[in-house]
Amino acid sequence: MTEKIDWKQEIIDSTKFNTKHENLLKKGAKSLTNSWLFGVLYTRWKKLKDIRKKTVPDCSSSFQEWSKKVKDVEKCQS
């Protein structure tokens, strides 16, 4: 069961905003700059809730590492 979170209402209830921010959260963005501000408000809410992105492990490898593994496999198969 997933619970739908109304982050906009939560952030309005948690802090005091000027009328521009409150109208933006209630009515949505109408321009590019408003959408940027909307993103800033969403990031502020995530910081208030201490929500962080999970770090992605570094799965990259170099060609030399790959080449060595291929050679090792070829040795095992022969």
Coordinates of all heavy atoms in Angstrom, one line a residue:
M1 N 0.8 -1.2 0.0 CA 0.0 0.0 0.0 C 0.9 1.2 0.0 O 1.6 1.5 0.9 CB -0.9 0.0 1.3 CG -2.2 0.6 1.0 SD -3.4 0.2 2.4 CE -2.8 1.0 3.8
T2 N 0.8 2.0 -1.1 CA 1.6 3.2 -1.1 C 0.7 4.4 -0.8 O -0.4 4.5 -1.3 CB 2.2 3.4 -2.5 OG1 1.2 3.5 -3.5 CG2 3.2 2.3 -2.9
E3 N 1.3 5.3 0.0 CA 0.5 6.4 0.4 C 0.9 7.6 -0.4 O 2.1 7.9 -0.6 CB 0.9 6.7 1.9 CG 0.2 7.9 2.5 CD 0.6 8.2 3.9 OE1 1.0 7.2 4.6 OE2 0.5 9.3 4.4
K4 N 0.0 8.3 -1.0 CA 0.3 9.5 -1.8 C 0.5 10.7 -0.9 O -0.3 11.0 0.0 CB -0.9 9.8 -2.7 CG -0.6 10.9 -3.7 CD -1.6 11.0 -4.8 CE -1.3 12.3 -5.6 NZ -1.3 12.1 -6.9
I5 N 1.7 11.3 -1.0 CA 2.1 12.4 -0.2 C 1.8 13.7 -1.0 O 2.2 13.9 -2.1 CB 3.6 12.3 0.2 CG1 3.8 11.1 0.9 CG2 4.0 13.6 1.0 CD1 5.3 10.8 1.1
D6 N 1.1 14.7 -0.3 CA 0.9 16.0 -0.9 C 2.0 16.9 -0.4 O 1.8 17.6 0.6 CB -0.5 16.5 -0.6 CG -0.9 17.8 -1.3 OD1 -0.1 18.1 -2.2 OD2 -1.8 18.4 -0.9
W7 N 3.1 16.9 -1.0 CA 4.3 17.7 -0.6 C 4.0 19.2 -0.6 O 4.5 19.9 0.2 CB 5.5 17.3 -1.3 CG 5.5 17.7 -2.8 CD1 5.1 17.0 -3.9 CD2 6.0 19.0 -3.3 NE1 5.2 17.8 -5.0 CE2 5.8 19.0 -4.7 CE3 6.6 20.1 -2.7 CZ2 6.1 20.1 -5.5 CZ3 6.9 21.2 -3.5 CH2 6.7 21.2 -4.9
K8 N 3.2 19.6 -1.6 CA 2.9 21.0 -1.7 C 2.2 21.5 -0.4 O 2.5 22.6 0.1 CB 2.1 21.3 -2.9 CG 2.8 21.0 -4.2 CD 1.9 21.3 -5.4 CE 1.9 20.1 -6.3 NZ 1.0 20.1 -7.3
Q9 N 1.2 20.8 0.0 CA 0.4 21.2 1.2 C 1.3 21.1 2.5 O 1.2 21.9 3.3 CB -0.9 20.4 1.3 CG -1.8 20.9 2.4 CD -2.2 22.3 2.1 OE1 -2.6 22.6 1.0 NE2 -2.2 23.1 3.2
E10 N 2.1 20.1 2.5 CA 3.0 19.9 3.7 C 4.0 21.1 3.8 O 4.2 21.6 4.9 CB 3.8 18.6 3.5 CG 3.1 17.4 3.9 CD 4.0 16.2 4.0 OE1 5.3 16.3 4.0 OE2 3.5 15.0 4.0
I11 N 4.5 21.5 2.7 CA 5.5 22.6 2.8 C 4.8 24.0 3.1 O 5.3 24.8 3.8 CB 6.4 22.7 1.5 CG1 7.6 23.6 1.8 CG2 5.6 23.3 0.3 CD1 8.7 23.5 0.8
I12 N 3.5 24.1 2.6 CA 2.8 25.3 2.9 C 2.5 25.3 4.4 O 2.6 26.4 5.1 CB 1.5 25.4 2.1 CG1 1.8 25.7 0.7 CG2 0.5 26.4 2.7 CD1 0.6 25.6 -0.3
D13 N 2.1 24.2 5.0 CA 1.8 24.1 6.4 C 3.0 24.2 7.3 O 2.9 24.7 8.4 CB 1.1 22.8 6.7 CG -0.2 22.6 6.1 OD1 -0.8 23.7 5.7 OD2 -0.7 21.5 5.9
S14 N 4.2 23.9 6.8 CA 5.4 23.8 7.6 C 6.1 25.2 7.8 O 6.7 25.5 8.8 CB 6.4 22.8 7.1 OG 6.9 23.3 5.8
T15 N 6.0 26.0 6.8 CA 6.7 27.3 6.9 C 5.9 28.5 6.4 O 4.9 28.2 5.7 CB 8.0 27.3 6.1 OG1 7.7 26.9 4.7 CG2 9.1 26.4 6.6
K16 N 6.3 29.7 6.6 CA 5.5 30.8 6.2 C 6.1 31.3 4.8 O 7.3 31.4 4.7 CB 5.7 32.0 7.2 CG 4.8 33.1 6.9 CD 4.9 34.1 8.0 CE 3.9 35.3 7.8 NZ 3.9 36.2 8.9
F17 N 5.2 31.4 3.8 CA 5.6 31.8 2.5 C 5.0 33.1 2.1 O 4.0 33.6 2.7 CB 5.1 30.8 1.5 CG 5.8 29.5 1.5 CD1 5.3 28.4 2.2 CD2 7.0 29.3 0.8 CE1 6.0 27.2 2.2 CE2 7.7 28.1 0.9 CZ 7.2 27.1 1.6
N18 N 5.7 33.8 1.1 CA 5.0 35.0 0.6 C 3.9 34.5 -0.3 O 3.8 33.3 -0.7 CB 6.0 35.9 -0.1 CG 6.7 35.2 -1.3 OD1 6.2 34.3 -1.8 ND2 7.9 35.8 -1.6
T19 N 3.1 35.4 -0.8 CA 1.9 35.1 -1.6 C 2.3 34.5 -2.9 O 1.6 33.6 -3.4 CB 1.0 36.3 -1.8 OG1 1.8 37.3 -2.4 CG2 0.4 36.8 -0.5
K20 N 3.4 34.9 -3.5 CA 3.9 34.3 -4.8 C 4.2 32.9 -4.6 O 3.7 32.1 -5.5 CB 5.1 35.1 -5.3 CG 5.6 34.6 -6.6 CD 6.8 35.4 -7.1 CE 7.3 34.9 -8.4 NZ 8.4 35.6 -8.9
H21 N 4.9 32.5 -3.6 CA 5.2 31.1 -3.4 C 4.0 30.2 -3.1 O 3.8 29.1 -3.7 CB 6.2 30.9 -2.3 CG 7.6 31.4 -2.6 ND1 8.5 31.5 -1.6 CD2 8.2 31.8 -3.7 CE1 9.7 32.0 -2.1 NE2 9.4 32.2 -3.4
E22 N 3.1 30.8 -2.3 CA 1.9 30.0 -2.0 C 1.0 29.9 -3.2 O 0.5 28.8 -3.4 CB 1.1 30.8 -0.9 CG 0.1 29.9 -0.2 CD -0.4 30.5 1.1 OE1 0.2 31.4 1.6 OE2 -1.5 30.1 1.5
N23 N 0.9 30.9 -4.0 CA 0.1 30.8 -5.3 C 0.7 29.8 -6.2 O 0.0 29.0 -6.9 CB -0.1 32.1 -6.0 CG -1.1 33.0 -5.3 OD1 -1.9 32.6 -4.5 ND2 -0.9 34.3 -5.5
L24 N 2.0 29.8 -6.3 CA 2.7 28.9 -7.2 C 2.5 27.4 -6.8 O 2.2 26.6 -7.6 CB 4.2 29.2 -7.2 CG 5.1 28.3 -8.0 CD1 4.8 28.4 -9.5 CD2 6.6 28.6 -7.7
L25 N 2.5 27.2 -5.5 CA 2.3 25.8 -5.0 C 0.8 25.4 -5.2 O 0.6 24.2 -5.4 CB 2.7 25.7 -3.5 CG 4.2 25.8 -3.2 CD1 4.4 26.0 -1.7 CD2 4.9 24.5 -3.7
K26 N -0.1 26.3 -5.1 CA -1.5 26.0 -5.2 C -1.9 25.9 -6.6 O -2.7 25.0 -7.0 CB -2.4 27.0 -4.4 CG -2.2 26.9 -2.9 CD -3.1 27.9 -2.2 CE -3.0 27.7 -0.7 NZ -3.8 28.7 0.0
K27 N -1.5 26.8 -7.5 CA -1.9 26.8 -8.9 C -1.0 26.2 -9.9 O -1.4 26.0 -11.0 CB -2.2 28.3 -9.3 CG -3.3 28.9 -8.4 CD -3.5 30.4 -8.8 CE -4.6 31.0 -7.9 NZ -4.8 32.4 -8.2
G28 N 0.3 26.1 -9.6 CA 1.2 25.5 -10.5 C 2.0 26.5 -11.3 O 1.7 27.7 -11.2
A29 N 3.0 26.1 -12.0 CA 3.9 27.0 -12.7 C 3.3 27.3 -14.1 O 2.7 26.5 -14.8 CB 5.2 26.3 -12.9
K30 N 3.4 28.6 -14.5 CA 2.9 29.1 -15.7 C 4.0 29.5 -16.7 O 3.8 29.8 -17.8 CB 1.9 30.3 -15.5 CG 0.8 30.0 -14.6 CD -0.3 29.3 -15.3 CE -1.6 29.2 -14.5 NZ -1.8 27.9 -13.9
S31 N 5.2 29.6 -16.2 CA 6.4 30.0 -17.0 C 7.6 29.2 -16.6 O 7.6 28.4 -15.6 CB 6.6 31.5 -16.8 OG 7.1 31.7 -15.5
L32 N 8.6 29.4 -17.4 CA 9.9 28.6 -17.2 C 10.5 29.0 -15.8 O 10.9 28.2 -15.0 CB 10.9 28.9 -18.3 CG 12.2 28.2 -18.2 CD1 12.1 26.7 -18.1 CD2 13.2 28.7 -19.3
T33 N 10.5 30.3 -15.5 CA 11.1 30.8 -14.3 C 10.3 30.3 -13.1 O 10.8 30.0 -12.0 CB 11.3 32.3 -14.2 OG1 10.0 32.9 -14.5 CG2 12.3 32.8 -15.2
N34 N 9.0 30.2 -13.2 CA 8.1 29.7 -12.2 C 8.4 28.2 -12.0 O 8.3 27.7 -10.8 CB 6.6 29.9 -12.5 CG 6.2 31.3 -12.2 OD1 6.9 32.0 -11.5 ND2 5.0 31.6 -12.6
S35 N 8.7 27.5 -13.0 CA 9.0 26.0 -12.9 C 10.3 25.9 -12.2 O 10.5 24.9 -11.4 CB 9.0 25.3 -14.2 OG 10.0 25.8 -15.0
W36 N 11.3 26.8 -12.4 CA 12.5 26.7 -11.6 C 12.3 26.9 -10.2 O 12.8 26.2 -9.3 CB 13.5 27.7 -12.1 CG 14.0 27.5 -13.5 CD1 14.1 26.3 -14.2 CD2 14.6 28.5 -14.4 NE1 14.6 26.5 -15.4 CE2 14.9 27.8 -15.6 CE3 14.8 29.8 -14.3 CZ2 15.5 28.5 -16.7 CZ3 15.3 30.5 -15.4 CH2 15.7 29.8 -16.6
L37 N 11.5 27.9 -9.9 CA 11.1 28.2 -8.5 C 10.4 27.1 -7.8 O 10.6 26.7 -6.7 CB 10.3 29.5 -8.4 CG 9.9 30.0 -7.0 CD1 11.1 30.2 -6.1 CD2 9.2 31.3 -7.1
F38 N 9.5 26.5 -8.6 CA 8.8 25.3 -8.1 C 9.7 24.2 -7.8 O 9.6 23.5 -6.7 CB 7.8 24.8 -9.3 CG 6.7 23.9 -8.8 CD1 5.6 24.4 -8.1 CD2 6.8 22.6 -9.1 CE1 4.6 23.6 -7.7 CE2 5.8 21.7 -8.8 CZ 4.7 22.2 -8.1
G39 N 10.8 24.0 -8.6 CA 11.8 23.0 -8.3 C 12.6 23.3 -7.0 O 12.9 22.4 -6.2
V40 N 12.8 24.6 -6.8 CA 13.5 25.0 -5.6 C 12.7 24.7 -4.4 O 13.2 24.2 -3.3 CB 13.9 26.5 -5.6 CG1 14.3 27.0 -4.3 CG2 14.9 26.8 -6.7
L41 N 11.4 25.0 -4.5 CA 10.5 24.7 -3.3 C 10.4 23.2 -3.1 O 10.3 22.8 -1.9 CB 9.1 25.2 -3.6 CG 9.0 26.8 -3.7 CD1 7.6 27.2 -4.2 CD2 9.3 27.4 -2.4
Y42 N 10.4 22.4 -4.1 CA 10.4 20.9 -3.9 C 11.6 20.4 -3.3 O 11.6 19.6 -2.4 CB 10.2 20.2 -5.3 CG 10.2 18.7 -5.2 CD1 9.1 18.1 -4.6 CD2 11.2 18.0 -5.8 CE1 9.1 16.7 -4.5 CE2 11.1 16.6 -5.7 CZ 10.1 16.0 -5.0 OH 10.1 14.6 -4.9
T43 N 12.8 21.0 -3.7 CA 14.1 20.7 -3.0 C 14.1 21.1 -1.6 O 14.6 20.3 -0.7 CB 15.2 21.3 -3.8 OG1 15.2 21.0 -5.1 CG2 16.6 21.0 -3.2
R44 N 13.5 22.2 -1.2 CA 13.4 22.7 0.2 C 12.5 21.7 1.0 O 12.9 21.3 2.1 CB 12.7 24.1 0.2 CG 12.7 24.6 1.6 CD 11.9 25.9 1.8 NE 12.5 27.0 1.0 CZ 11.9 28.2 0.9 NH1 10.8 28.4 1.5 NH2 12.4 29.1 0.2
W45 N 11.4 21.2 0.4 CA 10.6 20.2 1.1 C 11.4 18.9 1.3 O 11.3 18.3 2.4 CB 9.3 19.9 0.3 CG 8.5 18.8 0.8 CD1 7.7 18.9 1.9 CD2 8.5 17.4 0.4 NE1 7.2 17.6 2.1 CE2 7.6 16.7 1.2 CE3 9.1 16.8 -0.7 CZ2 7.4 15.4 1.0 CZ3 8.9 15.4 -0.8 CH2 8.0 14.7 0.0
K46 N 12.2 18.5 0.3 CA 12.9 17.3 0.5 C 14.0 17.4 1.6 O 14.2 16.5 2.4 CB 13.6 16.8 -0.8 CG 12.7 16.3 -1.8 CD 13.3 15.6 -3.0 CE 14.5 16.3 -3.6 NZ 15.0 15.6 -4.8
K47 N 14.6 18.6 1.7 CA 15.5 18.9 2.8 C 14.8 18.9 4.2 O 15.4 18.4 5.1 CB 16.2 20.2 2.6 CG 17.3 20.1 1.5 CD 18.0 21.4 1.4 CE 19.1 21.3 0.3 NZ 19.8 22.6 0.1
L48 N 13.6 19.4 4.2 CA 12.9 19.4 5.5 C 12.5 18.0 5.9 O 12.6 17.7 7.1 CB 11.6 20.2 5.3 CG 11.7 21.7 5.3 CD1 10.3 22.4 4.9 CD2 12.2 22.3 6.6
K49 N 12.2 17.2 5.0 CA 11.9 15.8 5.3 C 13.1 14.9 5.3 O 13.0 13.7 5.6 CB 10.9 15.2 4.2 CG 9.6 15.8 4.2 CD 8.9 15.3 5.5 CE 7.4 15.6 5.4 NZ 6.7 15.0 6.6
D50 N 14.3 15.4 5.1 CA 15.5 14.7 5.1 C 15.5 13.5 4.1 O 15.9 12.4 4.4 CB 15.9 14.2 6.5 CG 17.4 13.8 6.6 OD1 18.2 14.5 5.9 OD2 17.7 12.9 7.3
I51 N 15.0 13.8 2.9 CA 14.9 12.8 1.8 C 16.1 13.1 0.9 O 16.4 14.1 0.4 CB 13.6 13.0 1.0 CG1 12.4 12.7 1.9 CG2 13.6 12.0 -0.2 CD1 11.1 13.0 1.2
R52 N 16.9 12.0 0.8 CA 18.1 12.1 0.0 C 18.1 11.1 -1.1 O 17.5 10.0 -1.0 CB 19.4 11.9 0.8 CG 19.5 13.0 1.8 CD 20.9 12.9 2.5 NE 21.1 14.0 3.4 CZ 21.1 13.9 4.7 NH1 21.0 12.7 5.3 NH2 21.3 14.9 5.5
K53 N 18.8 11.4 -2.2 CA 18.9 10.4 -3.3 C 19.8 9.3 -2.9 O 20.8 9.6 -2.2 CB 19.5 11.1 -4.6 CG 18.5 11.7 -5.5 CD 19.3 12.1 -6.8 CE 18.4 12.6 -7.8 NZ 19.0 13.0 -9.0
K54 N 19.5 8.1 -3.3 CA 20.4 7.0 -3.0 C 21.6 7.1 -3.9 O 21.4 7.4 -5.1 CB 19.7 5.7 -3.3 CG 18.5 5.4 -2.3 CD 17.9 4.1 -2.6 CE 16.7 3.9 -1.6 NZ 16.0 2.7 -1.9
T55 N 22.7 6.9 -3.4 CA 23.9 7.1 -4.2 C 24.1 5.8 -5.1 O 23.8 4.7 -4.7 CB 25.2 7.2 -3.4 OG1 25.3 6.1 -2.5 CG2 25.2 8.5 -2.6
V56 N 24.4 6.1 -6.3 CA 24.6 5.0 -7.3 C 26.0 4.5 -7.2 O 27.0 5.3 -7.3 CB 24.3 5.5 -8.7 CG1 24.4 4.4 -9.7 CG2 22.8 6.1 -8.7
P57 N 26.2 3.2 -7.1 CA 27.6 2.7 -7.0 C 28.3 3.0 -8.3 O 27.7 2.9 -9.4 CB 27.5 1.2 -6.7 CG 26.1 0.9 -7.2 CD 25.3 2.1 -7.0
D58 N 29.6 3.2 -8.3 CA 30.4 3.4 -9.5 C 30.7 2.0 -10.1 O 31.5 1.2 -9.6 CB 31.7 4.1 -9.1 CG 32.6 4.4 -10.4 OD1 32.0 4.4 -11.5 OD2 33.8 4.6 -10.2
C59 N 30.1 1.7 -11.2 CA 30.2 0.4 -11.9 C 31.1 0.5 -13.1 O 31.1 -0.4 -13.9 CB 28.8 -0.1 -12.3 SG 27.8 -0.4 -10.9
S60 N 31.7 1.7 -13.3 CA 32.6 1.8 -14.5 C 33.9 1.1 -14.3 O 34.3 0.8 -13.2 CB 32.9 3.3 -14.7 OG 33.6 3.8 -13.6
S61 N 34.4 0.7 -15.4 CA 35.7 0.0 -15.4 C 36.5 0.5 -16.6 O 36.0 1.0 -17.6 CB 35.5 -1.5 -15.4 OG 34.9 -1.9 -16.6
S62 N 37.8 0.3 -16.6 CA 38.6 0.7 -17.7 C 38.7 -0.4 -18.7 O 38.4 -1.6 -18.4 CB 40.0 1.1 -17.2 OG 40.7 -0.1 -16.7
F63 N 39.2 -0.1 -19.9 CA 39.4 -1.1 -20.9 C 40.4 -2.1 -20.5 O 40.4 -3.3 -20.8 CB 39.8 -0.4 -22.2 CG 40.0 -1.3 -23.4 CD1 38.9 -1.9 -24.0 CD2 41.3 -1.7 -23.8 CE1 39.1 -2.9 -25.0 CE2 41.5 -2.6 -24.8 CZ 40.4 -3.2 -25.4
Q64 N 41.5 -1.6 -19.8 CA 42.5 -2.5 -19.3 C 42.0 -3.6 -18.4 O 42.3 -4.8 -18.5 CB 43.6 -1.7 -18.6 CG 44.4 -0.8 -19.6 CD 45.4 0.0 -18.9 OE1 45.3 0.2 -17.6 NE2 46.4 0.6 -19.6
E65 N 41.1 -3.2 -17.5 CA 40.5 -4.2 -16.6 C 39.6 -5.2 -17.4 O 39.7 -6.4 -17.1 CB 39.6 -3.5 -15.6 CG 40.3 -2.7 -14.6 CD 39.4 -1.8 -13.7 OE1 38.2 -1.8 -14.0 OE2 39.9 -1.3 -12.7
W66 N 38.9 -4.7 -18.3 CA 38.0 -5.6 -19.1 C 38.9 -6.5 -20.0 O 38.6 -7.7 -20.0 CB 37.1 -4.7 -20.1 CG 36.3 -5.6 -21.0 CD1 35.1 -6.2 -20.7 CD2 36.6 -5.9 -22.3 NE1 34.7 -6.9 -21.8 CE2 35.6 -6.7 -22.8 CE3 37.6 -5.5 -23.2 CZ2 35.5 -7.2 -24.1 CZ3 37.6 -6.0 -24.5 CH2 36.6 -6.8 -25.0
S67 N 39.9 -6.0 -20.6 CA 40.8 -6.8 -21.4 C 41.5 -7.9 -20.6 O 41.6 -9.0 -21.0 CB 41.9 -5.9 -22.0 OG 42.8 -6.7 -22.8
K68 N 41.9 -7.6 -19.3 CA 42.5 -8.6 -18.4 C 41.5 -9.7 -18.1 O 41.9 -10.9 -18.1 CB 43.0 -7.9 -17.2 CG 43.7 -8.8 -16.2 CD 44.2 -8.1 -15.0 CE 44.9 -8.9 -14.0 NZ 44.1 -10.0 -13.4
K69 N 40.3 -9.3 -17.8 CA 39.3 -10.3 -17.5 C 39.0 -11.2 -18.7 O 38.8 -12.4 -18.6 CB 38.0 -9.6 -17.1 CG 38.0 -9.0 -15.7 CD 36.8 -8.3 -15.3 CE 36.9 -7.6 -14.0 NZ 35.7 -6.9 -13.6
V70 N 39.0 -10.7 -19.9 CA 38.8 -11.5 -21.1 C 39.9 -12.5 -21.3 O 39.7 -13.6 -21.6 CB 38.6 -10.6 -22.4 CG1 38.7 -11.4 -23.6 CG2 37.3 -9.8 -22.3
K71 N 41.1 -12.0 -21.1 CA 42.3 -12.9 -21.2 C 42.3 -14.0 -20.1 O 42.6 -15.1 -20.4 CB 43.6 -12.1 -21.1 CG 43.9 -11.2 -22.3 CD 45.2 -10.4 -22.1 CE 45.4 -9.5 -23.3 NZ 46.6 -8.7 -23.1
D72 N 41.8 -13.7 -18.9 CA 41.7 -14.7 -17.9 C 40.7 -15.7 -18.2 O 40.9 -16.9 -18.0 CB 41.4 -14.0 -16.5 CG 42.5 -13.2 -16.0 OD1 43.6 -13.3 -16.4 OD2 42.2 -12.3 -15.1
V73 N 39.6 -15.3 -18.8 CA 38.5 -16.2 -19.2 C 39.0 -17.1 -20.3 O 38.8 -18.3 -20.4 CB 37.2 -15.5 -19.6 CG1 36.3 -16.4 -20.3 CG2 36.6 -14.8 -18.4
E74 N 39.8 -16.5 -21.3 CA 40.3 -17.3 -22.4 C 41.3 -18.4 -21.9 O 41.3 -19.5 -22.4 CB 41.0 -16.4 -23.4 CG 40.0 -15.6 -24.2 CD 40.7 -14.6 -25.1 OE1 41.9 -14.4 -25.0 OE2 40.0 -14.0 -26.0
K75 N 42.1 -18.0 -20.9 CA 43.0 -19.0 -20.3 C 42.3 -20.1 -19.7 O 42.7 -21.3 -19.8 CB 43.9 -18.3 -19.3 CG 45.0 -17.4 -19.9 CD 45.8 -16.7 -18.7 CE 46.8 -15.8 -19.3 NZ 47.6 -15.1 -18.2
C76 N 41.2 -19.8 -19.0 CA 40.4 -20.9 -18.3 C 39.8 -21.8 -19.3 O 39.6 -23.0 -19.0 CB 39.4 -20.2 -17.4 SG 40.1 -19.4 -15.9
Q77 N 39.3 -21.3 -20.4 CA 38.6 -22.1 -21.4 C 39.5 -22.9 -22.2 O 39.1 -23.9 -22.8 CB 37.8 -21.2 -22.3 CG 36.6 -20.5 -21.6 CD 35.8 -19.6 -22.5 OE1 36.2 -19.3 -23.6 NE2 34.7 -19.2 -22.0
S78 N 40.8 -22.6 -22.3 CA 41.7 -23.4 -23.2 C 42.4 -24.5 -22.4 O 42.3 -24.8 -21.3 CB 42.8 -22.5 -23.8 OG 43.5 -21.7 -22.9

